[in-house]
Amino acid sequence: LFFLRSNATRSSCSMGISTSSLYSALAKTVSRPPLPHPCDSTYSPGSDLDLDQNLADPLELLQECREVLRNRPAQLQRAFVQTGHGDGRQTIRVMQWNVLAQALGEGMDSFVQCPMDALNWAERKYLILQEILTYRPDIICLQEVDHYFDMFQPILASLGYQSSFCPKPWSPCLDVENNNGPDGCALFFNHKRFQSLNTTHLRLSAMMLKTNQIAIIAALRCQATGRAFCITVTHLKARSGWEVLRSAQGSDLLRNLRNVAHRIKTEEKAETDIPLIVCGDFNAEPSEDVYRNFATSSLGLDSAYKRLSTDGKTEPPYTTWKIRPSGESCHTLDYVWYSHRAFDVKAVLDFPTAEQIGPNRLPSYNYPSDHLSLVCDFSFKDPTLVS
């Protein structure tokens, strides 16, 4: 019942547990056998989703989040920018988001302009869930997840998401006192919209050596179209000075994507290549080699958020904006890559302005992470036009 363990000293956020939708959602999960804690990077709890359970109402949960957060500043207002056309019934909405590990936010990341009270997990978890429920993605790709078992998995399972979690082998969260376990990548998809074909967990290599960075590749079949595709979430090495390592990790991921896509194509007896969507915090500006390697890959990938620019060739000015002891840090590090021969980008979620974000930047009382979420609407192109 971790999710509803609100700060008892803050009466403004008290809620009646007996009537809580979130409590009901978690009550279903605690009645089942407990989820094992991952001991390696191969844990995939898809079978733990009870497909027959009564699903929670996302609108009720969203309203409950807003009630809990009513004394905080209003949610950042963002709008979708239409970039294409197509059948709305077959739209696939994808969210990419580094949610900021709780242990790192409180213990290591030194956001000097963010009050510690704003990072209190008792309320910050509601801000995270509010962001997800506001945009209702069909697929959610997250980095820095260190509350998978006690928050993300049970709550999102109650909303009909099947999921997979891959922890970092040497998570820095474990160095923080009172941590909640290792952080890692998590991938969620709406089980009514997609059928799982295969899930691959990767520990990325560089120069033939295993690194601390990871990825999940999930092969799914879209129930509406019958078409198979691969969705990937990854988190590459952070910080300046590690550009060569990031480039090597990206090359390893591209190699694995080719292999998995080829295997699924063979198993599905598909006539065309299996299309890809790759979400990640690459920790790399567009000027880095790893970005150029993805942009020029033989896999035919393009970056969805370039569609926001007037020329269609430029990334947004920032996806993360924070202030640390070393100064202000405003960078574009997060991307949603897609197979441009197979998918159309119908819409992308715009970013808040500097004025909306505020002078203290991120995270803040009304935004839970130092990274902004990226949300894209995709649709399959006519298969007769895809060679």
Side-chain angles (χ1 to χ4, degrees):
L1 304 179
F2 296 102
F3 195 79
L4 286 186
R5 194 168 293 158
S6 299
N7 188 341
T9 63
R10 304 186 65 167
S11 59
S12 64
C13 295
S14 63
M15 301 174 60
I17 289 182
S18 62
T19 60
S20 167
S21 301
L22 291 175
Y23 174 86
S24 299
L26 272 181
K28 293 183 177 65
T29 69
V30 299
S31 65
R32 300 185 224 137
L35 292 170
H37 198 281
C39 58
D40 55 31
S41 59
T42 60
Y43 181 71
S44 184
S47 59
D48 292 309
L49 176 61
D50 182 0
L51 301 183
D52 297 322
Q53 70 174 326
N54 294 323
L55 299 181
D57 183 338
L59 295 179
E60 288 184 8
L61 297 189
L62 178 58
Q63 183 57 40
E64 191 164 344
C65 288
R66 289 171 174 166
E67 176 65 17
V68 171
L69 300 168
R70 65 185 182 275
N71 289 340
R72 288 199 174 206
Q75 184 180 14
L76 294 178
Q77 295 301 303
R78 304 170 64 182
F80 280 96
V81 176
Q82 300 301 313
T83 58
H85 305 283
D87 186 351
R89 294 170 299 178
Q90 296 182 2
T91 295
I92 300 173
R93 177 164 290 180
V94 177
M95 171 181 276
Q96 148 60 31
W97 195 18
N98 180 330
V99 296
L100 175 60
Q102 183 64 21
L104 300 183
E106 289 187 317
M108 297 183 74
D109 274 344
S110 302
F111 301 116
V112 294
Q113 294 298 319
C114 178
M116 285 301 295
D117 189 45
L119 297 173
N120 182 349
W121 182 245
E123 291 183 16
R124 194 173 84 89
K125 57 194 172 188
Y126 286 96
L127 280 173
I128 294 172
L129 186 59
Q130 177 182 245
E131 183 82 355
I132 294 171
L133 291 170
T134 296
Y135 303 114
R136 302 276 298 278
D138 301 301
I139 300 172
I140 308 169
C141 295
L142 305 179
Q143 298 84 33
E144 290 198 21
V145 173
D146 65 343
H147 277 269
Y148 177 81
F149 296 97
D150 61 359
M151 199 280 273
F152 287 98
Q153 193 279 333
I155 290 296
L156 292 176
S158 79
L159 294 167
Y161 288 93
Q162 192 169 329
S163 62
S164 186
F165 174 66
C166 183
K168 293 175 184 173
W170 311 302
S171 168
C173 292
L174 299 178
D175 296 328
V176 178
E177 188 177 1
N178 299 320
N179 67 78
N180 199 58
D183 75 303
C185 291
L187 191 152
F188 303 82
F189 63 89
N190 184 331
H191 85 272
K192 290 187 176 181
R193 293 212 58 194
F194 308 102
Q195 174 192 355
S196 176
L197 301 177
N198 176 270
T199 301
T200 302
H201 288 201
L202 300 174
R203 184 175 172 187
L204 298 175
S205 295
M207 286 73 80
M208 301 182 68
L209 297 175
K210 295 290 185 180
T211 70
N212 194 38
Q213 279 62 53
I214 52 178
I216 303 172
I217 305 174
L220 305 177
R221 176 178 289 112
C222 176
Q223 303 284 25
T225 64
R227 298 179 66 178
F229 66 102
C230 288
I231 177 79
T232 299
V233 56
T234 193
H235 191 185
L236 302 188
K237 174 65 181 174
R239 293 187 174 79
S240 165
W242 294 94
E243 292 81 3
V244 173
L245 180 63
R246 278 193 289 273
S247 179
Q249 290 176 336
S251 297
D252 186 49
L253 179 56
L254 287 168
R255 179 181 61 82
N256 278 280
L257 285 168
R258 289 188 192 94
N259 293 340
V260 171
H262 178 74
R263 184 173 75 245
I264 300 302
K265 179 181 180 180
T266 301
E267 293 173 356
E268 293 291 298
K269 298 180 172 60
E271 295 181 359
T272 59
D273 292 338
I274 300 298
L276 307 171
I277 299 174
V278 183
C279 298
D281 175 355
F282 280 63
N283 276 307
E285 293 273 12
S287 58
E288 282 197 28
D289 284 345
V290 64
Y291 180 95
R292 288 192 290 269
N293 291 342
F294 268 74
T296 59
S297 164
S298 60
L299 292 172
L301 300 174
D302 199 3
S303 175
Y305 262 78
K306 291 195 301 185
R307 304 297 293 271
L308 278 180
S309 64
T310 54
D311 61 3
K313 300 177 181 179
T314 307
E315 294 289 351
Y318 51 83
T319 63
T320 179
W321 202 341
K322 68 205 82 177
I323 301 175
R324 285 179 166 149
S326 57
E328 195 158 349
S329 175
C330 180
H331 297 289
T332 300
L333 306 178
D334 308 271
Y335 307 96
V336 179
W337 299 93
Y338 69 101
S339 298
H340 61 82
R341 291 189 289 264
F343 288 112
D344 281 320
V345 182
K346 297 179 59 180
V348 295
L349 184 65
D350 205 349
F351 289 113
T353 64
E355 290 72 25
Q356 288 176 296
I357 291 172
N360 293 332
R361 308 315 183 197
L362 304 172
S364 64
Y365 277 112
N366 61 338
Y367 202 80
S369 177
D370 55 322
H371 289 251
L372 293 159
S373 65
L374 282 63
V375 185
C376 307
D377 287 348
F378 294 100
S379 63
F380 285 104
K381 291 184 177 181
D382 185 338
T384 62
L385 301 178
V386 179
S387 62

